[in-house]
PDB file of all heavy atoms in Angstrom:
ATOM      1  N   LEU A 106      55.750  23.562  91.125  1.00 94.00           N
ATOM      2  CA  LEU A 106      54.796  22.492  90.561  1.00 94.00           C
ATOM      3  C   LEU A 106      54.190  21.714  91.784  1.00 94.00           C
ATOM      4  O   LEU A 106      53.392  20.760  91.544  1.00 94.00           O
ATOM      5  CB  LEU A 106      55.557  21.514  89.678  1.00 94.00           C
ATOM      6  CG  LEU A 106      55.986  22.135  88.327  1.00 94.00           C
ATOM      7  CD1 LEU A 106      56.756  21.216  87.463  1.00 94.00           C
ATOM      8  CD2 LEU A 106      54.886  22.775  87.616  1.00 94.00           C
ATOM      9  N   ALA A 107      54.641  22.049  92.952  1.00 96.00           N
ATOM     10  CA  ALA A 107      54.182  21.116  94.124  1.00 96.00           C
ATOM     11  C   ALA A 107      52.698  21.617  94.557  1.00 96.00           C
ATOM     12  O   ALA A 107      52.475  22.828  94.495  1.00 96.00           O
ATOM     13  CB  ALA A 107      55.183  21.398  95.293  1.00 96.00           C
ATOM     14  N   ASN A 108      51.955  20.664  94.833  1.00 94.00           N
ATOM     15  CA  ASN A 108      50.591  20.956  95.367  1.00 94.00           C
ATOM     16  C   ASN A 108      50.492  20.647  96.883  1.00 94.00           C
ATOM     17  O   ASN A 108      50.273  19.431  97.149  1.00 94.00           O
ATOM     18  CB  ASN A 108      49.614  20.147  94.515  1.00 94.00           C
ATOM     19  CG  ASN A 108      48.173  20.584  94.744  1.00 94.00           C
ATOM     20  OD1 ASN A 108      47.894  21.277  95.596  1.00 94.00           O
ATOM     21  ND2 ASN A 108      47.286  20.119  93.876  1.00 94.00           N
ATOM     22  N   PHE A 109      50.516  21.601  97.651  1.00 93.00           N
ATOM     23  CA  PHE A 109      50.556  21.367  99.140  1.00 93.00           C
ATOM     24  C   PHE A 109      49.127  21.308  99.759  1.00 93.00           C
ATOM     25  O   PHE A 109      49.003  21.026 100.959  1.00 93.00           O
ATOM     26  CB  PHE A 109      51.385  22.459  99.853  1.00 93.00           C
ATOM     27  CG  PHE A 109      52.861  22.369  99.457  1.00 93.00           C
ATOM     28  CD1 PHE A 109      53.444  23.482  98.881  1.00 93.00           C
ATOM     29  CD2 PHE A 109      53.620  21.213  99.676  1.00 93.00           C
ATOM     30  CE1 PHE A 109      54.782  23.517  98.561  1.00 93.00           C
ATOM     31  CE2 PHE A 109      54.965  21.200  99.317  1.00 93.00           C
ATOM     32  CZ  PHE A 109      55.537  22.403  98.811  1.00 93.00           C
ATOM     33  N   GLU A 110      48.195  21.651  98.982  1.00 86.00           N
ATOM     34  CA  GLU A 110      46.881  22.050  99.612  1.00 86.00           C
ATOM     35  C   GLU A 110      45.850  20.968  99.601  1.00 86.00           C
ATOM     36  O   GLU A 110      44.635  21.241  99.956  1.00 86.00           O
ATOM     37  CB  GLU A 110      46.359  23.274  99.002  1.00 86.00           C
ATOM     38  CG  GLU A 110      47.075  24.466  99.583  1.00 86.00           C
ATOM     39  CD  GLU A 110      47.140  25.646  98.445  1.00 86.00           C
ATOM     40  OE1 GLU A 110      46.261  25.714  97.667  1.00 86.00           O
ATOM     41  OE2 GLU A 110      48.058  26.407  98.550  1.00 86.00           O
ATOM     42  N   THR A 111      46.215  19.793  99.171  1.00 87.00           N
ATOM     43  CA  THR A 111      45.126  18.831  98.888  1.00 87.00           C
ATOM     44  C   THR A 111      44.765  17.960 100.145  1.00 87.00           C
ATOM     45  O   THR A 111      43.774  17.201 100.091  1.00 87.00           O
ATOM     46  CB  THR A 111      45.602  17.870  97.781  1.00 87.00           C
ATOM     47  OG1 THR A 111      46.785  17.278  98.299  1.00 87.00           O
ATOM     48  CG2 THR A 111      45.781  18.520  96.498  1.00 87.00           C
ATOM     49  N   GLY A 112      45.675  17.953 101.059  1.00 88.00           N
ATOM     50  CA  GLY A 112      45.456  17.031 102.230  1.00 88.00           C
ATOM     51  C   GLY A 112      45.894  15.585 101.909  1.00 88.00           C
ATOM     52  O   GLY A 112      45.514  14.677 102.682  1.00 88.00           O
ATOM     53  N   ASP A 113      46.597  15.385 100.847  1.00 95.00           N
ATOM     54  CA  ASP A 113      46.985  14.042 100.427  1.00 95.00           C
ATOM     55  C   ASP A 113      47.815  13.375 101.459  1.00 95.00           C
ATOM     56  O   ASP A 113      48.104  12.154 101.490  1.00 95.00           O
ATOM     57  CB  ASP A 113      47.645  14.008  99.078  1.00 95.00           C
ATOM     58  CG  ASP A 113      46.688  14.318  97.992  1.00 95.00           C
ATOM     59  OD1 ASP A 113      45.478  13.965  98.064  1.00 95.00           O
ATOM     60  OD2 ASP A 113      47.041  14.849  96.913  1.00 95.00           O
ATOM     61  N   ILE A 114      48.535  14.171 102.259  1.00 97.00           N
ATOM     62  CA  ILE A 114      49.331  13.513 103.302  1.00 97.00           C
ATOM     63  C   ILE A 114      48.639  12.462 104.174  1.00 97.00           C
ATOM     64  O   ILE A 114      49.238  11.434 104.531  1.00 97.00           O
ATOM     65  CB  ILE A 114      49.885  14.650 104.268  1.00 97.00           C
ATOM     66  CG1 ILE A 114      50.775  14.098 105.417  1.00 97.00           C
ATOM     67  CG2 ILE A 114      48.784  15.452 104.962  1.00 97.00           C
ATOM     68  CD1 ILE A 114      52.125  13.479 104.882  1.00 97.00           C
ATOM     69  N   ALA A 115      47.315  12.631 104.330  1.00 97.00           N
ATOM     70  CA  ALA A 115      46.538  11.631 105.153  1.00 97.00           C
ATOM     71  C   ALA A 115      46.553  10.249 104.333  1.00 97.00           C
ATOM     72  O   ALA A 115      46.836   9.171 104.978  1.00 97.00           O
ATOM     73  CB  ALA A 115      45.138  12.085 105.325  1.00 97.00           C
ATOM     74  N   GLY A 116      46.401  10.280 103.077  1.00 97.00           N
ATOM     75  CA  GLY A 116      46.461   9.116 102.229  1.00 97.00           C
ATOM     76  C   GLY A 116      47.830   8.460 102.232  1.00 97.00           C
ATOM     77  O   GLY A 116      48.022   7.152 102.267  1.00 97.00           O
ATOM     78  N   TYR A 117      48.902   9.329 102.241  1.00 98.00           N
ATOM     79  CA  TYR A 117      50.269   8.851 102.189  1.00 98.00           C
ATOM     80  C   TYR A 117      50.555   7.999 103.502  1.00 98.00           C
ATOM     81  O   TYR A 117      51.043   7.029 103.638  1.00 98.00           O
ATOM     82  CB  TYR A 117      51.161  10.012 102.089  1.00 98.00           C
ATOM     83  CG  TYR A 117      52.599   9.717 101.965  1.00 98.00           C
ATOM     84  CD1 TYR A 117      53.274   9.256 100.840  1.00 98.00           C
ATOM     85  CD2 TYR A 117      53.518  10.048 103.078  1.00 98.00           C
ATOM     86  CE1 TYR A 117      54.535   9.029 100.735  1.00 98.00           C
ATOM     87  CE2 TYR A 117      54.932   9.816 102.970  1.00 98.00           C
ATOM     88  CZ  TYR A 117      55.447   9.225 101.761  1.00 98.00           C
ATOM     89  OH  TYR A 117      56.775   9.059 101.799  1.00 98.00           O
ATOM     90  N   ARG A 118      50.099   8.716 104.546  1.00 98.00           N
ATOM     91  CA  ARG A 118      50.332   7.985 105.940  1.00 98.00           C
ATOM     92  C   ARG A 118      49.525   6.692 106.073  1.00 98.00           C
ATOM     93  O   ARG A 118      49.966   5.725 106.518  1.00 98.00           O
ATOM     94  CB  ARG A 118      49.888   8.970 107.083  1.00 98.00           C
ATOM     95  CG  ARG A 118      50.846  10.074 107.358  1.00 98.00           C
ATOM     96  CD  ARG A 118      50.307  10.987 108.492  1.00 98.00           C
ATOM     97  NE  ARG A 118      51.422  11.761 108.985  1.00 98.00           N
ATOM     98  CZ  ARG A 118      51.322  12.555 109.996  1.00 98.00           C
ATOM     99  NH1 ARG A 118      50.176  12.564 110.713  1.00 98.00           N
ATOM    100  NH2 ARG A 118      52.304  13.217 110.337  1.00 98.00           N
ATOM    101  N   ARG A 119      48.361   6.793 105.597  1.00 98.00           N
ATOM    102  CA  ARG A 119      47.402   5.675 105.660  1.00 98.00           C
ATOM    103  C   ARG A 119      47.934   4.466 104.879  1.00 98.00           C
ATOM    104  O   ARG A 119      47.959   3.415 105.276  1.00 98.00           O
ATOM    105  CB  ARG A 119      46.035   6.090 105.039  1.00 98.00           C
ATOM    106  CG  ARG A 119      44.896   5.069 105.188  1.00 98.00           C
ATOM    107  CD  ARG A 119      43.591   5.768 104.949  1.00 98.00           C
ATOM    108  NE  ARG A 119      43.515   6.153 103.469  1.00 98.00           N
ATOM    109  CZ  ARG A 119      43.218   7.333 103.083  1.00 98.00           C
ATOM    110  NH1 ARG A 119      42.811   8.282 103.956  1.00 98.00           N
ATOM    111  NH2 ARG A 119      43.052   7.714 101.817  1.00 98.00           N
ATOM    112  N   VAL A 120      48.451   4.758 103.682  1.00 98.00           N
ATOM    113  CA  VAL A 120      48.950   3.582 102.840  1.00 98.00           C
ATOM    114  C   VAL A 120      50.256   3.084 103.446  1.00 98.00           C
ATOM    115  O   VAL A 120      50.469   1.878 103.554  1.00 98.00           O
ATOM    116  CB  VAL A 120      49.216   4.037 101.351  1.00 98.00           C
ATOM    117  CG1 VAL A 120      49.966   2.973 100.607  1.00 98.00           C
ATOM    118  CG2 VAL A 120      47.827   4.322 100.758  1.00 98.00           C
ATOM    119  N   ASN A 121      51.108   3.933 103.982  1.00 98.00           N
ATOM    120  CA  ASN A 121      52.298   3.379 104.563  1.00 98.00           C
ATOM    121  C   ASN A 121      52.033   2.553 105.794  1.00 98.00           C
ATOM    122  O   ASN A 121      52.673   1.563 106.103  1.00 98.00           O
ATOM    123  CB  ASN A 121      53.263   4.519 104.958  1.00 98.00           C
ATOM    124  CG  ASN A 121      54.229   4.964 103.803  1.00 98.00           C
ATOM    125  OD1 ASN A 121      55.340   4.317 103.731  1.00 98.00           O
ATOM    126  ND2 ASN A 121      53.896   5.870 103.023  1.00 98.00           N
ATOM    127  N   ARG A 122      50.941   3.082 106.637  1.00 98.00           N
ATOM    128  CA  ARG A 122      50.529   2.305 107.790  1.00 98.00           C
ATOM    129  C   ARG A 122      49.952   0.923 107.382  1.00 98.00           C
ATOM    130  O   ARG A 122      50.226  -0.147 107.933  1.00 98.00           O
ATOM    131  CB  ARG A 122      49.476   3.055 108.528  1.00 98.00           C
ATOM    132  CG  ARG A 122      49.348   2.690 109.968  1.00 98.00           C
ATOM    133  CD  ARG A 122      48.640   3.810 110.710  1.00 98.00           C
ATOM    134  NE  ARG A 122      49.336   5.015 110.831  1.00 98.00           N
ATOM    135  CZ  ARG A 122      48.831   6.229 110.984  1.00 98.00           C
ATOM    136  NH1 ARG A 122      47.515   6.314 111.019  1.00 98.00           N
ATOM    137  NH2 ARG A 122      49.644   7.308 111.191  1.00 98.00           N
ATOM    138  N   MET A 123      49.090   0.959 106.286  1.00 98.00           N
ATOM    139  CA  MET A 123      48.488  -0.325 105.842  1.00 98.00           C
ATOM    140  C   MET A 123      49.662  -1.243 105.271  1.00 98.00           C
ATOM    141  O   MET A 123      49.522  -2.402 105.607  1.00 98.00           O
ATOM    142  CB  MET A 123      47.601   0.053 104.663  1.00 98.00           C
ATOM    143  CG  MET A 123      46.869  -1.165 104.035  1.00 98.00           C
ATOM    144  SD  MET A 123      47.729  -1.841 102.684  1.00 98.00           S
ATOM    145  CE  MET A 123      47.403  -0.579 101.330  1.00 98.00           C
ATOM    146  N   MET A 124      50.616  -0.713 104.622  1.00 98.00           N
ATOM    147  CA  MET A 124      51.672  -1.511 104.075  1.00 98.00           C
ATOM    148  C   MET A 124      52.418  -2.205 105.277  1.00 98.00           C
ATOM    149  O   MET A 124      52.753  -3.407 105.275  1.00 98.00           O
ATOM    150  CB  MET A 124      52.764  -0.718 103.262  1.00 98.00           C
ATOM    151  CG  MET A 124      52.172  -0.159 102.002  1.00 98.00           C
ATOM    152  SD  MET A 124      52.618  -1.131 100.603  1.00 98.00           S
ATOM    153  CE  MET A 124      52.432  -0.012  99.335  1.00 98.00           C
TER     154      MET A 124
END
Side-chain angles (χ1 to χ4, degrees):
L106 297 179
N108 188 350
F109 295 120
E110 282 149 28
T111 57
D113 287 332
I114 179 68
Y117 182 75
R118 285 181 165 186
R119 189 168 62 233
V120 170
N121 272 274
R122 201 164 293 156
M123 180 270 284
M124 295 260 200

